[in-house]
Amino acid sequence: MNLNRSYRWQGLDLATLEHCHVVANDRDTRIRGAIIGPDFGLFYRIKLDENGHTRTLKIERADGKALELFCDGQGGWTDDRAEPISGLKNCVDVDIWPTPLTNSLPIWRSDWQLNVPQTFSMVWIDANSMTIKRAEQVYTKLDDAHFRYQSENFERVLEVDGDGVVVNYPGLFERV
């Protein structure tokens, strides 16, 4: 995948505005984004390796709180003090709330067949509280422009563009 493009979304449920830029080539993918919410602002940075696995993640909020995580590419995670995070073992993708961009990570790195669900173990990050947890998520390709996303009593059909980036996340985000 080769990309060098900016994207913008507006949050529908939580009034946010996001701008992010993705640069992807054969060596790695680098993502930088900024989100402004009703009572917060944050900047995030994600680096993926050549296999599409998350290697580094940094979230910095305008109030000074920060979260930095590192992955060995095999699902072994450490924090910014190099302390292992055992509860995240075997997770290779991240899902940051509140951005739809991270829904693209498993879409980009996987081979897809129509109507065949794939389960991913994700590092789910709430950027409001700066907390992390393991989350199992299921994606199913419905056609070239739609994926069903399922996680813990939650389901949406995501509309994506030709690059696998969310255009419409019903009720939550819409590209502008």
Side-chain angles (χ1 to χ4, degrees), residues 1-158:
M1 173 178 75
N2 285 304
L3 275 178
N4 188 352
R5 186 169 296 156
S6 291
Y7 302 93
R8 283 194 178 184
W9 294 273
Q10 67 179 12
L12 304 174
D13 181 49
L14 178 64
T16 59
L17 181 61
E18 174 177 0
H19 178 91
C20 86
H21 192 85
V22 178
V23 176
N25 55 47
D26 295 337
R27 290 184 322 267
D28 62 16
T29 300
R30 295 170 189 260
I31 303 162
R32 297 169 65 91
I35 303 171
I36 300 169
D39 58 355
F40 69 91
L42 65 88
F43 174 78
Y44 67 89
R45 200 172 58 216
I46 303 169
K47 182 180 178 196
L48 311 176
D49 66 18
E50 70 278 1
N51 298 312
H53 297 166
T54 303
R55 298 307 296 265
T56 61
L57 163 80
K58 185 165 189 176
I59 299 172
E60 296 177 273
R61 292 191 348 187
D63 65 7
K65 293 181 183 172
L67 175 68
E68 193 165 13
L69 301 175
F70 302 90
C71 185
D72 61 9
Q74 306 293 317
W77 289 85
T78 58
D79 63 17
D80 60 345
R81 296 178 317 265
E83 295 291 328
I85 307 171
S86 61
L88 304 180
K89 191 165 179 61
N90 298 322
C91 297
V92 294
D93 295 304
V94 295
D95 185 359
I96 303 171
W97 171 255
T99 175
L101 186 276
T102 50
N103 292 96
S104 295
L105 304 184
I107 291 172
W108 288 342
R109 70 175 183 80
S110 301
D111 292 322
W112 295 97
Q113 295 178 13
L114 291 181
N115 300 309
V116 177
Q118 293 190 45
T119 302
F120 300 91
S121 298
M122 311 288 282
V123 177
W124 192 86
I125 302 158
D126 184 331
N128 292 324
S129 62
M130 299 298 264
T131 58
I132 58 176
K133 70 176 184 177
R134 178 188 196 89
E136 304 303 316
Q137 299 179 354
V138 179
Y139 287 78
T140 306
K141 183 175 183 172
L142 303 176
D143 59 38
D144 286 341
H146 296 92
F147 282 81
R148 178 179 299 112
Y149 164 78
Q150 299 167 288
S151 178
E152 288 185 47
N153 304 319
F154 182 83
E155 181 176 328
R156 290 288 193 281
V157 173
L158 309 177

